[in-house]
DNA sequence: CTTATATATTGACACTGTCAAGTTTATGAT
DNA sequence: ATCATAAACTTGACAGTGTCAATATATAAG
């Protein structure tokens, strides 16, 4: 039992399949993510994943859950490195947000794709609140607009999310491709958020 | 040649395939959009589409192009019905934006999916500018922030786009599901845009 | 040691997109 | 008018895909 080579059991196939899936996602996009390729990369037959996930959708849901963990870590990681005033923290959160969206493009898109949102509603997995709470905390110190705290959160959340979607390939500004994530600080500044 | 029944030629297969594709998209989501099903719905064999589009990607590109046309029409349609002051016009544009995103969920997601953006870059089709110009015009009357006119446009564009993505299934506010498109007017108000 | 259960394999099925080759229809030149 | 050519569509095949049923193997329990 010391070496598991040539054994029938994999040991930790559940985890291996998730990792393989995220790898495939990063390498070749959503199109390259396949149940059979995940199995092959984990060194296992094509039908093995069925014993660990409820089909492809189950694996996708697990990958998305893992993605939200890393997503939260990306935001918190930037927050740790930033200055401790509210506006710097908010900028750092958004920087982590955009950094993750750019670094893990396909995964990010999968996480927020409509089919995944449907799956989550059915399974009520609710990984999002962790990531959302990070952003909520960053919005808390600011004065709220006409829609209360939820309005401020929704505004910042929509803004950074839309920015992430739109600036992937200079979609918005074909002429001048200066839409780096550094520019987002200026957009946040234009919101003229006031401390409470 | 008066009736084309039982004839070898379809007559307008190109258009029929696009229409069939959008129908399938609305009925069953991205998962239901299939080259073979489009062909079947158009009453034609499974390999016929290859003579009108460059494979599935070609059909998708055509569907996306059609989608952007309808997208622009949705925004312009709301603008026509609105009052003529700049802020009402901007609200109307966003209302059309969100209306289209909600009504054509799968199509909207396809339009802004990364793979489509890649395809457009290769083909340089550039249907987006039409829709973007509508939003640009609506932003023009307002004073610009630290990033100039492009910054204002990007801010509004990101905001409404992110809002559309996030409020599809009450993703943002699991507790209170009051994120109608009417609330977006309040968010726009909180931007405190000033006339130039 | 025997039994039982979780784990993985094999094989099959209905799909998918794509390609090559053949068939029918329309068009155009002589 | 006749024939050649091109366009439109069909047929058949191929490699992949997800999923299911049946099978084999390894681990665990009694």
């Amino acid at each position: 039992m010391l070496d598991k080579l040539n054994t029938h059991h994999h040991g930790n196939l559940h985890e291996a399949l998730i990792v393989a899936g995220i790898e495939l996602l990063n390498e070749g996009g959503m199109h390259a993510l396949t149940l059979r390729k995940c199995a092959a990369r984990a060194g296992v037959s094509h039908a093995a994943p069925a014993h660990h996930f409820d089909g492809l959708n189950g694996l996708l849901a697990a990958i998305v859950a893992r993605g939200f963990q890393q997503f939260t870590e990306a935001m918190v990681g930037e927050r740790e490195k930033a200055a401790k005033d509210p506006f710097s923290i908010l900028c750092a959160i958004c920087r982590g947000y955009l950094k993750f969206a750019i670094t893990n493009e396909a995964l990010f898109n999968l996480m927020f794709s409509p089919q995944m949102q449907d799956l989550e509603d059915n399974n009520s997995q609710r990984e999002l609140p962790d990531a959302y709470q990070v952003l909520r905390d960053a919005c808390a110190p600011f004065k709220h607009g006409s829609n209360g705290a939820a309005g401020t959160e929704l505004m910042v959340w929509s803004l950074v999310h839309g920015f992430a979607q739109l600036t992937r390939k200079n979609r918005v500004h074909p002429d001048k491709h200066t839409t780096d994530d550094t520019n987002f600080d200026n957009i946040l500044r234009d919101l003229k958020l006031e401390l409470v």
Side-chain angles (χ1 to χ4, degrees), chain A:
Chain A
M1 209 10 138
L2 287 169
D3 62 334
K4 303 208 173 162
L5 297 174
N6 282 339
T7 184
H8 206 62
H9 284 45
H10 178 281
N12 199 359
L13 185 53
H14 188 94
E15 178 67 17
L17 288 170
I18 295 176
V19 171
I22 293 180
E23 284 178 8
L24 289 168
L25 219 42
N26 285 333
E27 294 170 9
M30 188 61 200
H31 189 70
L33 174 51
T34 282
L35 207 49
R36 286 171 115 104
K37 277 192 272 196
C38 287
R41 188 165 288 216
V44 108
S45 83
H46 68 266
H51 298 270
H52 295 269
F53 302 98
D54 184 19
L56 176 60
N57 280 340
L59 176 57
L60 290 180
I63 289 175
V64 164
R66 179 64 49 88
F68 273 112
Q69 289 177 15
Q70 300 176 358
F71 183 48
T72 304
E73 291 167 7
M75 288 190 287
V76 172
E78 290 293 324
R79 187 182 59 189
E80 304 297 309
K81 298 188 297 186
K84 297 310 172 197
D85 62 290
F87 188 75
S88 295
I89 289 178
L90 184 60
C91 286
I93 294 296
C94 292
R95 194 159 47 246
Y97 196 115
L98 295 171
K99 191 175 179 179
F100 179 87
I102 292 170
T103 309
N104 309 69
E105 179 172 322
L107 177 56
F108 181 81
N109 198 68
L110 176 63
M111 285 160 56
F112 289 95
S113 72
Q115 59 170 324
M116 284 300 106
Q117 297 179 228
D118 293 349
L119 283 180
E120 285 168 28
D121 288 353
N122 295 341
N123 304 3
S124 64
Q125 297 196 17
R126 302 280 169 226
E127 322 88 354
L128 178 61
D130 288 348
Y132 185 61
Q133 188 61 42
V134 173
L135 192 110
R136 174 176 291 208
D137 293 343
C139 290
F142 298 99
K143 207 190 295 181
H144 305 321
S146 51
N147 281 24
T152 305
E153 295 158 9
L154 182 56
M155 183 167 77
V156 174
W157 185 251
S158 296
L159 194 58
V160 65
H161 189 76
F163 189 87
Q165 296 270 135
L166 292 173
T167 59
R168 266 205 258 265
K169 290 189 79 69
N170 303 325
R171 170 129 213 181
V172 171
H173 292 124
D175 39 344
K176 51 196 301 194
H177 40 89
T178 59
T179 53
D180 303 340
D181 57 315
T182 60
N183 287 17
F184 194 76
D185 292 9
N186 291 328
I187 294 185
L188 279 181
R189 226 178 302 275
D190 288 346
L191 288 184
K192 298 164 188 151
L193 293 173
E194 302 169 23
L195 291 174
V196 69

